[in-house]
Amino acid sequence: MNTTYVPADYLPILIQMGLALGFIVTTMLVTHAIGPKRHSVKKDDPFECGIPVQGDARTPISIKYFLIAILFVLFDVEVIFLYPWAVNFKGLGMTGFIEMVLFMGLLLAGFFYIIRKGVLKWE
């Protein structure tokens, strides 16, 4: 099948993107223009789940928090690669099996490395 695309083929996509962007901008401008503008000390006070505000919001956070969050995302993304492999397991044959064993081996090596380094120890 030898098809060539011309710029006019992308016109419906550009129109839809333009309409979506126009709707967003119009909605934001209209709600800002006609919305209530009542300011008071109580209304402008930061609100956090019904808990009174204490201290500064810019206190330093331990790097451990961010490391664990990044590691969670890293090891959670592996499921994205495992699911298609499991669905097409029979069709991939021995080559697909060896590739997945290699993938899981590298993943486990990384997991053992972070355990050995003590990244998951929360102090």
Side-chain angles (χ1 to χ4, degrees):
M1 196 160 112
N2 191 5
T3 58
T4 57
Y5 295 103
V6 294
D9 292 337
Y10 296 101
L11 189 61
I13 295 171
L14 293 174
I15 290 172
Q16 186 172 4
M17 287 176 64
L19 287 174
L21 186 63
F23 176 75
I24 291 169
V25 170
T26 304
T27 304
M28 290 178 70
L29 291 174
V30 168
T31 55
H32 182 71
I34 66 172
K37 294 169 185 59
R38 296 182 216 115
H39 295 285
S40 69
V41 175
K42 193 74 167 168
K43 192 167 185 139
D44 293 337
D45 192 33
F47 181 74
E48 185 67 34
C49 302
I51 301 170
V53 178
Q54 297 176 355
D56 187 16
R58 289 164 185 81
T59 56
I61 298 174
S62 173
I63 191 70
K64 290 280 197 181
Y65 174 78
F66 297 108
L67 283 175
I68 289 179
I70 289 170
L71 289 172
F72 171 75
V73 170
L74 176 72
F75 287 106
D76 193 44
V77 167
E78 77 176 273
V79 175
I80 295 171
F81 295 108
L82 286 175
Y83 183 73
W85 175 77
V87 169
N88 296 320
F89 178 69
K90 288 183 179 178
L92 296 174
M94 187 54 101
T95 306
F97 178 73
I98 292 170
E99 288 173 351
M100 189 49 68
V101 167
L102 180 65
F103 174 72
M104 292 301 293
L106 289 172
L107 195 68
L108 284 174
F111 185 65
F112 289 134
Y113 175 78
I114 63 169
I115 287 177
R116 206 172 101 221
K117 285 291 188 180
V119 173
L120 298 177
K121 291 182 184 173
W122 195 267
E123 297 172 3

